[in-house]
Amino acid sequence: MSRAFTHDHPDILQLEADAIDARPGAILLKHSPFFPGGGGQLADRGTLKWSGGELPVTGLERDARGLWHLVPGDSLISGKVMLEVEPAFRAMMCELHTLAHVINALVYTRFGGALLTGAQLNADGTFRVDFDLPGADNEALRALEAPLTDIIRQDLAVSAALMPHAEAQAIPGLFRSKAVAPPVGEDGLVRIVEILGLDRQACGGTHLMSTGQSRPARIVKIDNKGRQNRRIKVAI
Ligand SMILES: [Zn+2]
């Protein structure tokens, strides 16, 4: 898999591109500003414009050559297209995703290295993260709202860098999920996302530039999911 455009150009939300393949209702582009979804983060929303009109992008599918953009109906799109990612939706996904890292870091450090077993960001401004936490005190988990609020207030910088996969595997704690493995590029590199002074972990998603860009967040619910798992639900 080639490097994701969103990794190298997280701020570019509009791009003109040439079709490299098409079928009715779908067009393949080598580069795209759309995040295709993954790791619990929803795919970007937005539009595709070409000489024949404008349509919403309703789905994204990776293949070895690039990213298929699905549109309603059976239009056969060719030539140059203009891709436009919806900024407000992307910004909210970045916000939720960054907060999910903060919760993940707090649970990992304060609850004995507990690993993530599931994550889902939602379009309604909430997300849930599940952890392998048998016997955890739910009130102690709910109390993480105070350090979460403090980390937003501290406005810690968020950055990303690439590292050889084998090197990353040798560093304890960089792979934090039992459920999802972050993508490894065909160059053998994996992306490490750092919240300065708080956390480093492998991740392929999109994030804020600093924690202070987030709105205040609340822990709205703790659920037991079976004997092993606790689910933390957060809302902005
Ligand atoms: Zn992430």
Side-chain angles (χ1 to χ4, degrees):
M1 185 170 59
S2 61
R3 286 255 292 281
F5 183 88
T6 51
H7 290 177
D8 292 331
H9 310 283
D11 298 329
I12 296 180
L13 299 184
Q14 297 186 0
L15 188 72
E16 190 178 67
D18 287 300
I20 56 174
D21 200 357
R23 60 176 195 258
I27 182 171
L28 179 66
L29 302 162
K30 183 169 172 53
H31 300 295
S32 172
F34 280 79
F35 179 75
Q41 181 175 341
L42 298 175
D44 277 327
R45 297 171 176 179
T47 58
L48 184 156
K49 294 177 186 170
W50 82 109
S51 59
E54 174 178 344
L55 287 170
V57 175
T58 54
L60 296 150
E61 295 173 358
R62 277 200 191 95
D63 82 3
R65 293 177 293 163
L67 198 61
W68 283 97
H69 295 62
L70 312 186
V71 295
D74 56 2
S75 297
L76 194 56
I77 299 165
S78 60
K80 279 200 187 309
V81 299
M82 175 59 88
L83 301 163
E84 294 188 12
V85 172
E86 187 185 312
F89 186 79
R90 162 67 73 81
M92 189 176 73
M93 285 296 117
C94 290
E95 192 174 5
L96 296 176
H97 196 139
T98 304
L99 293 173
H101 278 240
V102 174
I103 292 286
N104 190 325
L106 291 171
V107 170
Y108 184 74
T109 54
R110 297 176 183 217
F111 290 82
L115 293 177
L116 192 75
T117 53
Q120 184 61 56
L121 312 185
N122 301 311
D124 64 357
T126 67
F127 69 88
R128 64 163 176 84
V129 275
D130 301 340
F131 294 93
D132 183 12
L133 272 172
D137 173 4
N138 287 359
E139 282 311 306
L141 289 169
R142 197 181 290 275
L144 293 176
E145 185 173 301
L148 172 65
T149 300
D150 190 51
I151 288 161
I152 294 170
R153 184 191 57 74
Q154 289 181 49
D155 195 20
L156 305 177
V158 182
S159 61
L162 294 165
M163 183 184 284
H165 188 239
E167 187 182 320
Q169 281 183 311
I171 300 173
L174 286 190
F175 293 92
R176 205 66 68 68
S177 174
K178 282 187 162 181
V180 289
V184 181
E186 59 193 12
D187 49 11
L189 300 176
V190 66
R191 186 162 170 262
I192 306 298
V193 173
E194 177 170 18
I195 301 177
L196 195 64
L198 178 74
D199 187 54
R200 282 202 307 167
Q201 59 177 285
C203 185
T206 68
H207 310 84
L208 299 173
M209 301 295 289
S210 69
T211 58
Q213 293 179 338
S214 174
R215 287 167 280 185
R218 293 171 298 121
I219 294 177
V220 292
K221 204 173 181 192
I222 309 288
D223 278 332
N224 296 354
K225 304 301 282 184
R227 289 166 59 88
Q228 289 285 325
N229 290 284
R230 294 293 184 278
R231 171 166 294 179
I232 302 175
K233 189 166 183 185
V234 179
I236 49 175

